[in-house]
Amino acid sequence: TGYAVEKKVVKSKMGEKVGLPCCHEIPSSESLYNYRVYWQKNTTEVVLAYAEGKKIPQHNRYEKRAEMDTRNLTLWLSPVELLDNGPYQCVVQHRRYSQNSVVVCDELVTLFVTADFSEPNITAEVSANSCESTEMVVSCSSHGGFPKPKISGTLNNVSVAWNASWASESSLSPYNVTGKLWLNVTKDVSISCFVEYDGLTKSTSLLLKKTNSCVVPTVLPSYNVITASSIIIIIFLLAITLAARYLPRHGKCSSFFKKWSLT
């Protein structure tokens, strides 16, 4: 249900029922028959009106949506639409004993209609990767709200400015808002998105993880091990070959010296 913020300003949310107060209340000793009551918008559209107790034709946009309290003359609208935003005028005339009517009151009341935005949705797309960092395009979007919102954010609780864009069919249509950020992520970070409108805030947070694209070659260690092993084996084989050649000759020399010493 709508509520009065000031005497002549009423706020409501789209889809609710709202009452716009008039400037006069009919005493219990009288009836609507003695009055002419005009509720009009922008001084051109007849929202609801009565003359001598009978209803006057109204603008078709308010048919089945507008009704009036016959005592305090409050105008009730339900369900409220965004197009209902704007100034309304309540004009009350009293029929005295003659045919002349006297204006009892003439007052404006402004209706301000809002619509809730959806919970912001954050998405991240990796555009480039390296061992040191991950480049990302981060988007935050929210839709279906009114009035035009502000979008802001934080990165690890430090304020960041979104590159924002808005879309709306008209000045009195729901807004869609999208914010974009280009980030160079070197470690895991938390990003938050805030959509603010008419003193209200919708927010969402997301943890952005750095993508590790460093491919450590598994071939190199194996290759080094194989190379080192091969060198050791080759040296070992060479040692055996040299030893095999040297030892027999050494044996013949020994027997020769033995024989020489005996003679």
Side-chain angles (χ1 to χ4, degrees), residues 180-197:
K180 285 196 174 185
L181 284 177
W182 287 263
L183 298 178
N184 197 11
V185 178
T186 57
K187 60 181 180 180
D188 293 357
V189 292
S190 175
I191 188 165
S192 298
C193 178
F194 305 95
V195 175
E196 302 172 64
Y197 60 103

Side-chain angles (χ1 to χ4, degrees), residues 63-99:
E63 286 182 9
K64 298 181 180 179
R65 288 201 310 121
E67 58 184 30
M68 189 185 74
D69 187 297
T70 56
R71 185 59 59 185
N72 62 23
L73 310 181
T74 296
L75 174 67
W76 291 95
L77 293 174
S78 178
V80 176
E81 301 174 356
L82 288 181
L83 288 175
D84 293 335
N85 266 296
Y88 290 76
Q89 187 176 15
C90 182
V91 180
V92 181
Q93 297 176 343
H94 189 276
R95 248 183 59 184
R96 299 299 183 189
Y97 299 105
S98 64
Q99 291 298 319

